[in-house]
């Protein structure tokens, strides 16, 4: 007779009952979430009237083969527990139907038998094998099936919460009545070495209720629910600092799961759960370290109630498998999160944070990645201010959607900005971009559209390198696809690019885009371009004679994409041409003579008087005199002086000297070097830009208070 005082036969019967009742829970490890399709169809039985009736049998702990009821080969019922008590696996009183776990179908309930049935001996599929050996073989198979189902559920998760949730849902209540999952805070990423003490934070808990509700389901899960109920040890600590060389550190270093009754676990659990965890006695607690690819990243605690069968030694192997797959999944999720962060940072770096606000044009943009999992591609857009109040508009698309494509896109964008700063014609910019792409590699291909808008001349110059043509939305609502020579893509080499100059009337809107907006698997590029033209015309009709606002118009353009109608990145740049009226421009050519500075002051004074800006006369005369004097000192050809009246007063002085002026602190003995210092102190903004045949020095003055905005 065993030490418990019960006959050995009774203990055997209890174990067998637990095996049979728990077998049906194997499939519950893969039970679908609410609203999720089931992964496997129910297996029909092949005999008697038990078609469609689920089997009843052992789970991962103490499994046994199913026993038929009466003479029906397909049906099975739970066996009566000894002493007329509760079922060893479910805790339900004898003769009652056990309620299904969460996610279990209602059809999986097994009707209660009319009375106790005799227990026939277990039959073995292998001749000459005893019933005990057959039961052990069946239990091992059930454990393998449970581990397979549980690990598949854990592996389905992508982010950290999904993986930990998969572990909880796969183990409660099939393997344990409650679970606590602790993870390091913060979680180390890759090869980085964490600094400071090791701290474990309670990431998630799950348990079955003390008393089943009317539906027989589990309690609602919370992201951090430390309360496990009085029968499961009460509350657990949310933070646990692992002391170096302490009991918990030794258990985590050992990696292997331990029963709660083991000496090492008895001293480590209070350090993890709190000083007074009040855990159930017997082998009803398993402490399993979670070890990733390089280090221990946490721990999981599996618990069973006192009225449930205790864990068996083979359950330590089950816990080890669950802990290993969970830890590897957590490592995967952390690395994926780091890659997503890098992708977001790369996107923010490669694309402009904000668009400039050049004179005479308003800009709006949009960027959409191909998918959430591929946040960065090869599409880009840019707006670059140029001398003379002009602006360069650029949209490009590098082949591919990888990090390599994004890096090449960043190099080409930087090259385009540098070339634009040299004020090269659009076709020359594309030619140098083509050379740069060939230097990056023979397979570096990209398309690009480069346009330069002059608000004073109301003209736009466009050059194309294999990119979809732009669309011009005129003020009256007419949308037109501009006829621009397509050219060859960047990276082909040995081709010439052609630029065309077109009218850009005030109130018109130029829309530049990448092929992801107009081309997909369900439509060709020209069909998409026609749909874009129609969408722009329809949007313009809604606002009547006035052009539509830029930001809502960009949203309307993106709405033309239906569900699943996007296979590529999308970059969109819209420019509304306001222009600068001829009455707001004053322009002169001046010979580089000693008297030119005085002549420039008189011309500037007359222009301010014509515009009613006499308050700025003294300030403008002083700064114009300094800038023109510097230009006259070194120029050999006539210099230019231009004043622009917009929301600010802008003055531009051009000469044929390519050297840019630099602000420096003049020494007391120097006769010059103070002109730019005055400009820097008195002007609102100033700068200098190198041209192909010289440079332009410009500065801006704020309008007097009360001046109406233009």
């Amino acid at each position: 007779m065993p030490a418990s005082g019960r006959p050995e036969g009774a203990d055997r019967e209890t174990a067998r009952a637990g095996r049979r009742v728990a077998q049906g829970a194997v499939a519950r490890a893969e039970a679908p979430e609410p609203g999720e399709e089931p992964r496997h169809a129910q297996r029909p039985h092949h005999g008697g009237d038990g078609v469609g009736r689920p089997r009843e049998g052992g789970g991962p702990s103490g499994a046994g083969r199913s026993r038929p009821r009466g003479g029906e080969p397909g049906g099975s019922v739970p066996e009566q527990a000894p002493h007329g008590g509760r079922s060893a696996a479910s805790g339900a009183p004898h003769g009652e139907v056990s309620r299904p776990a969460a996610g279990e179908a209602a059809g999986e309930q097994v009707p209660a038998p009319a009375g106790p049935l005799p227990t026939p001996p277990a039959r073995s599929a292998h001749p000459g094998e005893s019933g005990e050996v057959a039961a052990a073989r069946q239990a091992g198979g059930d454990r393998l099936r449970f581990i397979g189902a549980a690990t598949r559920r854990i592996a389905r998760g992508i982010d950290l919460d999904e993986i930990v949730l998969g572990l909880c849902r796969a183990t409660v209540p099939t393997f344990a009545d409650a679970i606590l999952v602790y993870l390091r805070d913060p979680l180390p990423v890759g090869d980085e070495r964490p600094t400071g003490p090791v701290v474990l934070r309670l990431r998630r808990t799950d348990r079955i209720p003390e008393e089943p509700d009317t539906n027989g389901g589990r309690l609602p899960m919370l992201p951090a629910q430390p309360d496990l109920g009085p029968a499961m040890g009460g509350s657990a600590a949310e933070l646990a600092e692992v002391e170096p060389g302490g009991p918990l550190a030794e258990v985590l270093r050992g990696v292997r799961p331990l029963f709660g009754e083991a000496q090492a676990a008895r001293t480590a659990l209070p350090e993890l759960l709190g000083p007074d965890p009040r855990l159930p006695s017997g082998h009803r607690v398993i402490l399993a370290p979670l070890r990733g690819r390089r280090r221990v990243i946490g721990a999981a605690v599996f618990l069973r109630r006192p009225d449930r069968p205790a864990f068996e030694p083979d359950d330590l192997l089950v816990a080890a498998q669950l802990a290993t797959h969970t830890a590897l999944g957590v490592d995967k999720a952390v690395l994926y999160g780091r890659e997503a962060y890098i992708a977001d940072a790369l996107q923010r770096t490669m694309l402009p944070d904000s668009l400039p606000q050049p004179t005479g044009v308003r800009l709006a943009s949009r960027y959409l990645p191909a998918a959430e999992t591929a946040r960065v591609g090869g599409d880009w857009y840019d707006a670059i201010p140029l001398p003379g109040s002009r602006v360069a508009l650029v949209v490009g698309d590098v082949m591919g959607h990888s990090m390599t494509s994004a890096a090449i896109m960043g190099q080409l964008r930087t090259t385009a900005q540098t070339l634009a700063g040299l004020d090269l014609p659009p076709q020359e910019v594309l030619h140098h971009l083509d050379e740069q792409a060939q230097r990056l590699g023979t397979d570096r291909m990209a398309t690009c559209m480069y346009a330069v808008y002059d608000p004073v001349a109301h003209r736009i110059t466009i050059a194309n390198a294999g990119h979809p043509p732009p669309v011009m939305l005129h003020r009256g609502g007419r949308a037109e696809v501009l006829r621009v020579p397509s050219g060859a893509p960047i990276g082909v080499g040995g081709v010439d690019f052609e630029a065309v100059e077109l009218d850009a009337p005030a109130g018109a809107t130029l829309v530049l885009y990448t092929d992801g907006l107009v081309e997909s698997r369900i439509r060709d590029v020209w069909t998409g371009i026609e749909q874009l033209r129609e969408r722009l015309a329809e949007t313009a009709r809604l606002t009547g004679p006035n052009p539509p606002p830029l930001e809502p118009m960009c949203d309307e353009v993106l709405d033309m994409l239906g569900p699943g109608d996007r296979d590529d990145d999308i970059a969109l740049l819209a420019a509304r041409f306001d222009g600068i009226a001829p009455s707001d421009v004053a322009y002169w050519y001046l010979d580089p003579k000693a008297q030119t500075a005085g002549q420039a002051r008189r011309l500037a004074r007359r222009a301010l008087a014509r515009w009613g800006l006499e308050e700025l006369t003294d300030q403008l005369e002083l700064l114009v005199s300094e800038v023109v004097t510097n230009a006259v000192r070194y120029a050999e050809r006539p210099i230019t002086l231009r004043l622009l009246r917009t929301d600010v007063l802008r003055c531009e002085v051009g000469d044929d000297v390519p050297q840019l002026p630099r602000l420096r602190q003049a020494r007391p003995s120097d006769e010059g070097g103070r002109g730019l210092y005055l400009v820097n102190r008195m002007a609102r903004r100033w700068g200098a830009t190198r041209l192909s045949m010289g440079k332009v020095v410009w500065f801006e003055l704020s309008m007097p208070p009360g001046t109406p905005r233009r």
Side-chain angles (χ1 to χ4, degrees):
M1 180 173 293
S4 61
R6 299 175 59 187
E8 294 183 1
D11 289 338
R12 250 188 238 108
E13 289 299 322
T14 303
R16 289 173 182 166
R19 295 184 186 110
R20 283 189 296 274
V21 176
Q23 182 181 0
V26 172
R28 291 198 294 269
E30 275 194 312
E33 302 290 345
E36 184 182 14
E37 291 295 331
R39 293 177 57 85
H40 301 287
Q42 186 180 11
R43 293 184 181 178
H45 291 277
H46 303 283
D49 56 354
V51 177
R53 184 178 300 165
R55 293 192 305 169
E56 188 83 20
S61 174
R65 62 177 288 144
S66 61
R67 303 180 184 275
R69 182 174 66 178
E72 299 177 6
S76 62
V77 296
E79 186 180 350
Q80 181 183 5
H83 309 294
R86 303 169 72 90
S87 173
S90 64
H94 173 63
E96 294 183 1
V97 180
S98 61
R99 293 186 175 94
E104 190 175 3
E108 294 182 0
Q109 294 185 1
V110 180
L117 296 176
T119 304
R123 295 189 230 172
S124 172
H126 301 270
E129 206 176 59
S130 65
E132 293 296 332
V133 175
R137 180 187 298 275
Q138 180 68 23
D142 290 340
R143 283 192 179 90
L144 290 178
R145 285 191 293 273
F146 167 74
I147 292 173
T151 53
R152 285 194 299 271
R153 185 162 197 163
I154 294 170
R156 285 203 299 264
I158 296 179
D159 60 19
L160 190 62
D161 290 332
E162 288 180 349
I163 292 170
V164 177
L165 176 61
L167 172 65
C168 294
R169 290 292 174 89
T171 55
V172 179
T174 307
F175 182 70
D177 293 330
I179 183 175
L180 301 94
V181 182
Y182 284 82
L183 296 179
R184 293 182 68 160
D185 187 24
L187 278 166
V189 181
D191 295 327
E192 70 179 20
R193 296 183 177 275
T195 59
V198 177
V199 177
L200 300 182
R201 178 181 293 275
L202 184 62
R203 186 77 185 191
R204 185 177 287 275
T205 68
D206 195 10
R207 64 182 174 93
I208 59 176
E210 301 300 326
E211 293 296 336
D213 58 16
T214 55
N215 295 324
R218 292 178 293 182
L219 289 183
M221 280 196 43
L222 301 175
Q225 181 187 347
D227 183 16
L228 295 177
M232 297 307 301
S235 61
E238 294 191 31
L239 283 177
E241 182 174 341
V242 182
E243 299 180 2
L248 183 57
E250 293 298 326
V251 172
L252 296 179
R253 188 179 298 111
V255 178
R256 293 183 177 180
L258 299 174
F259 285 126
E261 295 294 317
Q263 177 62 31
R266 280 205 306 268
T267 56
L269 283 172
E271 186 178 349
L272 179 65
L273 304 180
D276 187 20
R278 301 190 305 278
L279 298 175
S281 60
H283 288 177
R284 291 182 173 84
V285 178
I286 292 180
L287 173 58
L290 303 178
R291 179 174 179 82
R293 292 174 177 84
R294 292 174 178 85
R295 60 182 65 86
V296 174
I297 60 174
V301 181
F302 304 93
L303 303 99
R304 282 187 183 176
R305 291 174 174 172
D307 56 351
R308 284 281 301 274
F311 289 112
E312 297 182 357
D314 287 345
D315 291 327
L316 293 178
L317 302 178
V318 176
Q321 289 291 323
L322 297 176
T324 299
H325 285 274
T326 302
L328 295 178
V330 169
D331 264 357
K332 174 189 67 177
V334 172
L335 289 174
Y336 174 78
R338 172 59 61 89
E339 291 180 358
Y341 170 78
I342 293 174
D344 288 340
L346 185 61
Q347 177 182 356
R348 288 192 297 269
T349 303
M350 297 302 181
L351 298 177
D353 294 333
S354 60
L355 293 173
Q357 298 178 352
T359 303
V361 62
R362 286 173 286 170
L363 302 173
S365 63
R366 294 291 187 274
Y367 176 82
L368 293 179
E372 289 296 326
T373 55
R375 300 167 184 262
V376 175
D379 294 17
W380 91 90
Y381 62 89
D382 214 341
I384 309 168
L386 299 178
S389 299
R390 296 170 300 152
V391 59
L393 307 174
V394 190
V395 170
D397 182 6
V398 178
M399 293 178 59
H401 304 91
S402 62
M403 289 289 186
T404 302
S405 301
I408 296 172
M409 175 264 286
Q411 291 176 302
L412 293 180
R413 177 174 178 250
T414 302
T415 303
Q417 289 178 331
T418 304
L419 296 171
L422 299 177
D423 197 32
L424 297 178
Q427 64 271 22
E428 290 297 323
V429 172
L430 295 183
H431 174 72
H432 289 291
L433 283 177
D434 179 60
E435 292 180 340
Q436 175 66 12
Q438 294 179 67
R439 284 190 290 267
L440 295 176
T442 57
D443 57 344
R444 309 309 188 193
M445 304 284 290
T447 63
C448 183
M449 181 78 65
Y450 189 93
V452 176
Y453 170 64
D454 189 343
V456 177
H458 295 270
R459 303 282 289 178
I460 185 169
T461 306
I462 306 177
N464 187 12
H467 205 75
V471 178
M472 178 81 78
L473 178 63
H474 294 273
R475 190 180 185 89
R478 180 174 63 91
E480 174 189 7
V481 180
L482 299 183
R483 296 183 178 181
V484 180
S486 59
I490 291 173
V492 173
V495 296
D496 292 330
F497 299 99
E498 183 181 354
V500 295
E501 187 174 353
L502 305 172
D503 288 330
T509 304
L510 182 69
V511 179
L512 305 176
Y513 54 90
T514 56
D515 58 355
L517 179 66
V518 295
E519 186 179 18
S520 67
R521 289 171 293 181
I522 62 176
R523 60 180 175 180
D524 61 80
V525 61
W526 289 108
T527 301
I529 292 174
E530 180 62 22
Q531 291 179 358
L532 172 61
R533 189 194 65 79
E534 294 175 355
R535 175 57 64 93
L536 289 173
E538 180 182 353
T539 303
R541 284 195 294 269
L542 297 176
T543 58
N546 298 321
L550 275 183
E551 297 293 341
M553 188 194 74
C554 291
D555 295 334
E556 287 291 331
V557 168
L558 295 182
D559 285 344
M560 65 180 282
L561 300 171
D565 191 17
R566 182 158 62 89
D567 307 321
D568 199 358
D569 304 344
I570 296 176
L572 175 67
L573 180 62
R576 173 71 45 76
F577 301 140
D578 295 331
I580 299 177
S583 59
D584 293 329
V585 181
Y587 193 87
W588 303 277
Y589 284 95
L590 304 175
D591 293 329
K593 301 183 299 184
Q595 301 83 2
T596 301
Q599 181 184 2
R601 289 194 297 268
R602 290 191 299 271
L603 294 174
R605 188 186 313 117
R606 293 172 186 171
L608 292 182
R610 185 171 67 250
W611 290 335
L613 300 176
E614 291 84 354
E615 296 181 32
L616 301 178
T617 301
D618 294 339
Q619 190 176 1
L620 179 63
E621 284 187 359
L622 176 60
L623 299 185
V624 165
S625 179
E626 293 293 339
V627 176
V628 171
T629 299
N630 290 338
V632 169
R633 184 176 181 181
Y634 302 102
E636 297 181 356
R637 299 178 180 178
I639 65 174
T640 59
L641 172 63
R642 184 165 73 169
L643 298 179
L644 301 175
R645 181 183 62 161
T646 56
D647 54 343
V648 296
L649 180 64
R650 182 182 177 97
C651 176
E652 299 174 352
V653 177
D655 58 55
D656 60 345
V657 181
Q659 287 78 17
L660 300 181
R662 294 288 182 263
L663 182 65
R664 63 183 181 89
Q665 188 70 34
R667 293 174 297 183
S669 58
D670 292 341
E671 295 183 0
R674 296 176 178 84
L676 287 182
Y677 180 76
L678 292 175
V679 175
N680 184 64
R681 292 296 300 268
M682 300 180 64
R684 179 174 177 265
R685 288 195 314 155
W686 78 278
T689 305
R690 184 178 286 109
L691 303 177
S692 57
M693 298 297 293
K695 68 176 181 296
V696 168
V697 180
W698 57 270
F699 63 85
E700 294 177 352
L701 298 177
S702 299
M703 289 293 187
T707 303
R709 296 181 62 88
R710 305 190 63 81

